[in-house]
Amino acid sequence: MNNLLTYPNPILPGFYPDPSICKVGDDFYLVTSTFAYFPGVPIFHSRDLIHWEQIGNILNRDSQLPLDGAGISQGIFAPTLRYHNGTFYMVTTNVSNSLGNFIVTAKNPAGPWSDPYPLGAEGIDPSLFFDDDGTCYYCGTKPRREGARYFGDNEIYIQKLDLGTMTLAGDSYPAWHGALRGVEWPEGPHLYKKDGWYYLLISEAGTAHHHAVSIARSKSLSEPFEGYKGNPIMTHRHLGMDYPIVNVGHPDIVETKNGEWWMVLLASRPYGGYCRNLGRETFLVPFRWEDGWPVVNPGKGIVEDTVTTPDLPPAVTAKVPAKEDFNCDTLPLHMMHIRNPIRENYSLSEKKGFLLLRCGKDLISSSGRPSYVGIRQQHFSFLFETSLEFHPASTNEQAGIVIFQSDAFHYQCLLGTDSSTSVVTVLRTKDGITETICETALTDHCPRLTLQLRADRQELSFSFSTDGNTYTTAAEKLDGRILCTDAAGGFVGNTMGIYATANGSESETFAAFDYIQYVETE
């Protein structure tokens, strides 16, 4: 262990939940959930477990990821990434489509990945395990087969998977029901084999404050698993609601070439009260085996905001630039749409150095396919900025910036027209009801504008500039607490992005954005 250096947690800040990790040689690969965002399931590469570079999005075609009408916290749940005999496998659930549980495969983790192989498996949170003889097993979560006694009364089950036909084979076996009596939501299972034992690592008690990690083991995949007497092996529920890292769970584990064991898992960082605007993030924590069971972060037993680095050579990875100027042929990998984009509503080629967004018919407050490109909020306090050229043809057409939690909870700052002059409008959508916070009329038509969103922890402010130097405040001290999962529900964190809308009308008007910038200010 390198005792000189520490790394900051989370290793993937912002909305990167449900991490799954695998190792191939000296390389580590990691994926996370994306729910109703497109493209789906980002995949990252690292050589030191600390510095991660996104190398692709596994589900980047509509045929792989149909999201029509999906709620923002529906879509893709809990992917698992595994590697076996020259092939990468990613298995996950699309809860908003008949695909259900499915697998995609690739020889290169950066892609391309195959179209989905639907499995017809019950439940959610699928995982794969390859035994010593090459046999593949599917491990999933579903309500107890004898009948659930309450909502979330689940079983973890195991069944063989025929890789030749990509179909489940034989009978499934109910391996475990979680550690605690009467536990809710045993889920997120992963199987491993070590020293002749099969280990089953799961989460239980839901994804909120009582989230916990438990483990069981067995000598066989077709007999009962024995829960560890020291369960749960990781939780923060005993640390109180005001602890800076909460909701710890959904782990996956990996061994380095030096024999160290590490766990990736999700957690949240509340701020401004028990508010989790960043959603569930990916953290890293060490553990070791004692008497056949894991001890997580020995001597401390918690997830910390800084931890001693793994005993691996430091790696350098390309960082996401603070400013994206759209001098590119395709959108950067970390940018996302809400549901499947309408392709003809976007262009990077028509005006060099600009991203053009058509004023879409679907509103961002709908379950449709709005003209939106967003990035994840990754810090408590930040500046988000864009500059746009926009010539609205009617009063229905607006374009600008959004901070988005869900279709029912978000803020917008948009440039439009009232036919005689340009108007900057700030809107708040709360509990599905949209209201105008303020409107600022400019002295004349202003086809070019710079828009800024500033977050000072839970206080949000919007401002604009006609010359890029002098800024006018459009709205300030807006309450950011409505943009957390505790107010809005669901499983996602906030994104900020650029948006163009015709407010329910058809339109041929495009807004031209020449950059977006995101920087931490705290």
Side-chain angles (χ1 to χ4, degrees):
M1 179 76 74
N2 184 343
N3 292 314
L4 299 177
L5 302 174
T6 61
Y7 69 85
N9 252 335
I11 53 172
L12 291 178
F15 163 48
Y16 290 108
D18 305 327
S20 178
I21 191 170
C22 73
K23 182 172 75 75
V24 183
D26 292 335
D27 299 290
F28 300 93
Y29 299 96
L30 185 148
V31 295
T32 67
S33 296
T34 42
F35 297 91
Y37 282 97
F38 186 97
V41 189
I43 182 165
F44 298 86
H45 169 258
S46 176
R47 287 207 160 186
D48 62 4
L49 292 174
I50 305 302
H51 302 93
W52 293 89
E53 180 180 354
Q54 187 172 352
I55 59 172
N57 289 287
I58 291 178
L59 305 177
N60 59 10
R61 304 189 300 275
D62 291 341
S63 61
Q64 298 170 307
L65 184 56
L67 292 168
D68 287 352
I72 198 65
S73 286
Q74 296 177 343
I76 294 297
F77 279 22
T80 295
L81 182 68
R82 294 294 182 257
Y83 175 84
H84 177 70
N85 198 25
T87 299
F88 289 87
Y89 298 82
M90 193 281 291
V91 59
T92 188
T93 315
N94 186 339
V95 302
S96 304
N97 186 273
S98 59
L99 275 175
N101 293 295
F102 66 93
I103 292 175
V104 291
T105 64
K107 295 297 184 181
N108 183 340
W113 288 74
S114 71
D115 276 344
Y117 297 96
L119 297 174
E122 295 183 69
I124 60 170
D125 292 5
S127 184
L128 299 181
F129 169 71
F130 294 91
D131 210 343
D132 297 336
D133 62 359
T135 303
C136 183
Y137 292 88
Y138 177 98
C139 187
T141 302
K142 67 176 183 178
R144 281 179 182 257
R145 62 189 63 201
E146 65 269 27
R149 300 162 297 173
Y150 47 82
F151 188 55
D153 185 18
N154 290 346
E155 70 176 47
I156 307 298
Y157 72 99
I158 299 170
Q159 191 169 359
K160 283 186 179 181
L161 176 66
D162 185 334
L163 293 177
T165 60
M166 288 295 188
T167 57
L168 296 174
D171 296 328
S172 66
Y173 181 76
W176 202 34
H177 298 92
L180 299 184
R181 182 178 299 169
V183 68
E184 295 181 351
W185 294 109
E187 59 186 0
H190 293 306
L191 280 168
Y192 316 91
K193 192 173 186 180
K194 185 178 186 298
D195 300 330
W197 288 97
Y198 295 94
Y199 287 90
L200 180 54
L201 185 67
I202 72 164
S203 289
E204 56 184 60
T207 63
H209 186 71
H210 292 95
H211 209 191
V213 177
S214 298
I215 193 166
R217 70 181 185 181
S218 175
K219 284 291 187 178
S220 166
L221 293 177
S222 58
E223 61 185 66
F225 276 67
E226 170 200 3
Y228 177 37
K229 293 180 180 178
N231 278 326
I233 59 171
M234 171 55 69
T235 186
H236 278 199
R237 62 192 179 202
H238 61 295
L239 299 178
M241 301 286 282
D242 59 352
Y243 198 73
I245 299 173
V246 298
N247 306 349
V248 172
H250 203 99
D252 200 359
I253 61 176
V254 69
E255 183 183 14
T256 72
K257 64 182 179 182
N258 297 317
E260 291 182 335
W261 285 85
W262 291 86
M263 176 182 287
V264 292
L265 72 176
L266 67 77
S268 298
R269 293 179 291 164
Y271 62 103
Y274 196 85
C275 296
R276 299 166 291 155
N277 299 54
L278 281 68
R280 299 172 301 156
E281 309 173 277
T282 292
F283 289 73
L284 183 67
V285 62
F287 75 95
R288 67 172 179 243
W289 296 89
E290 292 185 359
D291 297 326
W293 298 102
V295 176
V296 185
N297 200 3
K300 299 176 180 178
I302 59 173
V303 179
E304 300 176 279
D305 57 9
T306 57
V307 180
T308 304
T309 57
D311 184 16
L312 293 168
V316 176
T317 55
K319 292 185 177 180
V320 174
K323 187 175 183 179
E324 297 280 3
D325 58 11
F326 296 123
N327 277 310
C328 47
D329 297 324
T330 58
L331 283 176
L333 293 172
H334 66 288
M335 293 188 178
M336 304 180 295
H337 306 280
I338 299 171
R339 305 179 192 91
N340 302 89
I342 300 172
R343 306 289 174 174
E344 58 267 28
N345 286 358
Y346 303 84
S347 176
L348 282 164
S349 60
E350 190 165 328
K351 187 172 185 178
K352 193 63 177 175
F354 286 79
L355 172 59
L356 271 58
L357 268 63
R358 186 197 304 268
C359 293
K361 183 176 182 180
D362 289 343
L363 278 71
I364 204 163
S365 56
S366 74
S367 60
R369 301 159 68 186
S371 295
Y372 175 81
V373 174
I375 61 173
R376 294 162 176 84
Q377 179 184 342
Q378 296 182 295
H379 305 96
F380 300 156
S381 298
F382 62 87
L383 167 68
F384 178 77
E385 179 181 291
T386 191
S387 179
L388 74 156
E389 294 180 4
F390 185 44
H391 300 270
S394 75
T395 57
N396 289 331
E397 297 170 345
Q398 295 175 295
I401 58 177
V402 179
I403 181 166
F404 182 83
Q405 208 287 331
S406 69
D407 53 277
F409 291 86
H410 54 266
Y411 286 98
Q412 307 172 54
C413 181
L414 306 177
L415 174 63
T417 181
D418 66 0
S419 74
S420 62
T421 187
S422 294
V423 178
V424 175
T425 303
V426 177
L427 303 165
R428 174 177 60 210
T429 299
K430 180 181 179 182
D431 292 320
I433 299 172
T434 300
E435 60 178 329
T436 300
I437 299 297
C438 62
E439 291 183 319
T440 304
L442 307 186
T443 55
D444 54 20
H445 284 292
C446 182
R448 184 172 182 87
L449 206 65
T450 301
L451 295 172
Q452 288 186 344
L453 163 64
R454 287 187 179 271
D456 182 5
R457 299 181 80 82
Q458 293 291 4
E459 284 192 352
L460 307 179
S461 300
F462 289 101
S463 60
F464 62 89
S465 174
T466 58
D467 61 9
N469 295 309
T470 303
Y471 284 83
T472 300
T473 299
E476 61 183 342
K477 296 185 177 179
L478 302 175
D479 185 10
R481 292 172 181 82
I482 71 167
L483 304 179
C484 72
T485 53
D486 310 279
F491 305 122
V492 301
N494 289 341
T495 62
M496 298 84 57
I498 53 179
Y499 169 59
T501 180
N503 286 290
S505 302
E506 300 289 348
S507 173
E508 295 300 320
T509 301
F510 284 79
F513 297 85
D514 64 350
Y515 70 88
I516 61 171
Q517 180 172 302
Y518 173 81
V519 293
E520 183 183 10
T521 57
E522 182 180 66

